[in-house]
């Protein structure tokens, strides 16, 4: 290579490296600008579960309102957030009833409790939790609440973990402390095993039918249960954290797509045909999705570049479209009204 060609190649390399550096700097600056300008605005105010067309969720932004239940208009979910005095690790609400799983410092360790709330966020009953809060759901009527905790292990991707799922009737306050006491039919036959775990309850409008995840023998199953009969039957394999659609024709759920790893893909199951539809979200979703309406799902994903907060995303429930951000620094959504 001649000297002139070497100089030309060197100049081109310098230009390319300089251009790449400029792009990286601009991206970093844009990211920093989004971080500064995109922090959710939060103000203390009145939050009620009786407000129509509202979206409530837990605020994940750092600051004095971190962990607070907040409210925004459902049509403008990135508007200024109204923060309550209620702090939770998991939350769900329906028909003016809320369930808040929280943790407060105790004498020797953290004290975990499930709070059943009225529409004004006043505590009606409080129940001690046997472990770390994981999932929470209220029935469409508000007459039942369910929650799941980790008794051992801290993740559904762990090799060894144990859960406990409880249900309570919010009219009589009759508590079912452990769903594992229900009779199980697996493959049409009575089944019993020491490794049975349940999690991720979702309720029907009839105040009797529910769906949940059953884990046993290294497999997960979708089960359909009856509160009155205290029993469940298996319907399908590889279904976790189901969520029943408002029209009760479909279940959204996370499906493990890589055995032995914490990698799930969000799907929707048609209960009439038992056909499943993978959704357009390609990232691993470790959450119990919420239906915003009969066409749209919401779920939490870890915030990029952060280790202690999540963002809420939405996706069409028919497999089309693309994920879009619903609310940054947020979790545990419930659509009211």
């Amino acid at each position: 290579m001649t000297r002139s060609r070497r100089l030309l190649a060197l100049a081109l390399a310098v230009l390319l490296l300089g251009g790449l550096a400029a792009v990286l700097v601009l991206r970093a600056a844009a990211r920093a600008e989004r971080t500064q300008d995109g922090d959710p605005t939060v103000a203390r105010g009145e939050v009620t579960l009786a407000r129509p067309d509202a979206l409530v969720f837990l605020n994940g932004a750092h600051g004095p309102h971190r962990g607070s239940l907040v409210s925004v208009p459902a049509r403008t979910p990135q508007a200024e957030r109204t923060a309550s005095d209620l702090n939770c690790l998991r939350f769900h609400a329906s028909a003016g009833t809320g369930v808040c799983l929280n943790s407060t410092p105790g004498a020797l360790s953290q004290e975990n409790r499930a709070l059943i709330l009225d529409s004004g966020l006043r505590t009606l009953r409080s129940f001690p939790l046997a472990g770390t809060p994981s999932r929470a759901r209220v029935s469409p009527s508000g007459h039942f609440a369910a929650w799941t905790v980790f008794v051992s292990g801290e993740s559904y991707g762990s090799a060894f973990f144990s859960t406990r799922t409880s249900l309570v009737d919010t009219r009589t306050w009759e508590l079912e402390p452990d769903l594992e006491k229900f009779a199980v039919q697996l493959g049409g036959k009575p089944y019993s095993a020491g490794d049975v775990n349940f999690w991720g309850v979702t309720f029907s409008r009839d105040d009797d039918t529910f769906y949940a995840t059953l884990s046993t023998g290294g497999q997960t199953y979708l089960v359909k249960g009856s509160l009155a009969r205290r029993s469940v039957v298996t319907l399908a394999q590889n279904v976790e954290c189901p969520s029943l659609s408002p029209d009760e024709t479909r279940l959204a759920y996370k499906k493990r797509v890589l055995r032995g790893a914490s990698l799930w893909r969000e799907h929707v199951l048609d209960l009439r045909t038992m056909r499943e539809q993978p959704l357009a979200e390609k990232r691993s979703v470790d959450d119990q999705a919420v239906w915003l309406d009969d066409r749209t799902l919401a779920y939490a994903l870890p915030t990029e570049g952060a280790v202690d907060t999540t963002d809420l995303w939405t996706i069409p429930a028919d497999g089309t479209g693309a994920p879009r951000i619903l609310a940054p620094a947020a979790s545990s959504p419930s659509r009211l009204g």
Side-chain angles (χ1 to χ4, degrees):
M1 182 181 293
T2 65
R3 184 172 181 274
S4 61
R5 288 183 176 179
R6 284 198 299 271
L7 290 173
L8 178 60
L10 179 60
L12 288 173
V14 169
L15 286 172
L16 286 172
L17 289 172
L20 177 59
V23 168
L24 293 175
V25 169
L26 287 172
R27 285 182 177 176
R31 195 179 304 118
E33 185 178 12
R34 285 197 300 270
T35 299
Q36 293 168 3
D37 296 339
D39 284 343
T41 303
V42 187
R44 183 72 67 188
E46 182 185 8
V47 176
T48 172
L49 304 182
R51 179 182 173 186
D53 293 325
L55 184 70
V56 295
F57 52 83
L58 299 180
N59 180 52
H62 290 278
H65 304 298
R66 182 172 173 81
S68 296
L69 181 71
V70 299
S71 174
V72 294
R75 296 182 184 277
T76 53
Q78 298 190 34
E80 179 179 86
R81 300 174 180 181
T82 301
S84 70
D85 292 324
L86 180 70
N87 280 68
C88 311
L89 297 176
R90 295 288 186 273
F91 180 84
H92 189 251
S94 183
T97 299
V99 57
C100 167
L101 308 187
N102 72 3
S103 183
T104 56
L108 299 176
S109 61
Q110 294 292 106
E111 183 182 16
N112 301 317
R113 302 193 71 84
L115 310 180
I116 307 301
L117 311 164
D118 67 10
S119 61
L121 303 185
R122 291 176 289 269
T123 300
L124 301 174
R125 286 289 191 280
S126 174
F127 300 92
L129 299 179
T132 305
S134 172
R135 306 291 184 221
R137 268 302 192 270
V138 176
S139 66
S141 66
H143 294 160
F144 289 92
W147 54 85
T148 299
V149 299
F150 286 113
V151 179
S152 63
E154 295 291 333
S155 167
Y156 294 106
S158 301
F160 302 100
F161 68 90
S162 177
T163 63
R164 185 172 298 172
T165 295
S166 306
L167 303 97
V168 66
D169 187 325
T170 63
R171 299 160 297 180
T172 65
W173 301 115
E174 181 179 356
L175 175 68
E176 178 57 59
D178 192 350
L179 201 57
E180 293 173 22
K181 304 300 183 184
F182 278 35
V184 176
Q185 278 206 343
L186 195 157
K189 298 179 180 179
Y191 180 82
S192 177
D195 68 344
V196 165
N197 282 289
F198 288 95
W199 66 84
V201 170
T202 184
F203 294 97
S204 171
R205 290 189 300 267
D206 65 9
D207 281 344
D208 180 54
T209 305
F210 68 93
Y211 299 87
T213 298
L214 162 67
S215 172
T216 185
Q219 300 289 334
T220 58
Y221 301 88
L222 170 67
V223 296
K224 182 179 182 179
S226 167
L227 295 173
R229 292 192 294 272
R230 292 175 53 83
S231 64
V232 301
V233 297
T234 58
L235 298 182
Q237 284 191 353
N238 198 6
V239 173
E240 298 184 54
C241 298
S243 182
L244 187 62
S245 62
D247 64 10
E248 303 199 350
T249 65
R250 291 153 295 156
L251 282 169
Y253 64 98
K254 63 176 192 174
K255 177 179 181 178
R256 192 180 294 273
V257 293
L258 185 61
R259 177 60 58 185
S262 299
L263 185 60
W264 294 274
R265 178 86 181 270
E266 200 68 21
H267 285 65
V268 167
L269 177 71
D270 187 314
L271 290 171
R272 291 169 293 194
T273 65
M274 298 304 288
R275 292 179 181 175
E276 62 179 17
Q277 171 65 57
L279 302 188
E281 175 59 82
K282 302 295 179 63
R283 293 167 294 184
S284 183
V285 177
D286 183 11
D287 194 18
Q288 186 173 15
V290 168
W291 293 79
L292 298 179
D293 53 45
D294 280 321
R295 302 176 302 279
T296 314
L297 289 161
Y299 50 91
L301 282 172
T303 302
E304 185 178 357
V307 295
D308 59 349
T309 189
T310 61
D311 301 323
L312 289 177
W313 293 78
T314 67
I315 195 75
D318 61 0
T320 64
R324 64 179 183 84
I325 192 82
L326 176 69
S331 64
S332 293
S334 295
R335 173 71 184 267
L336 306 180

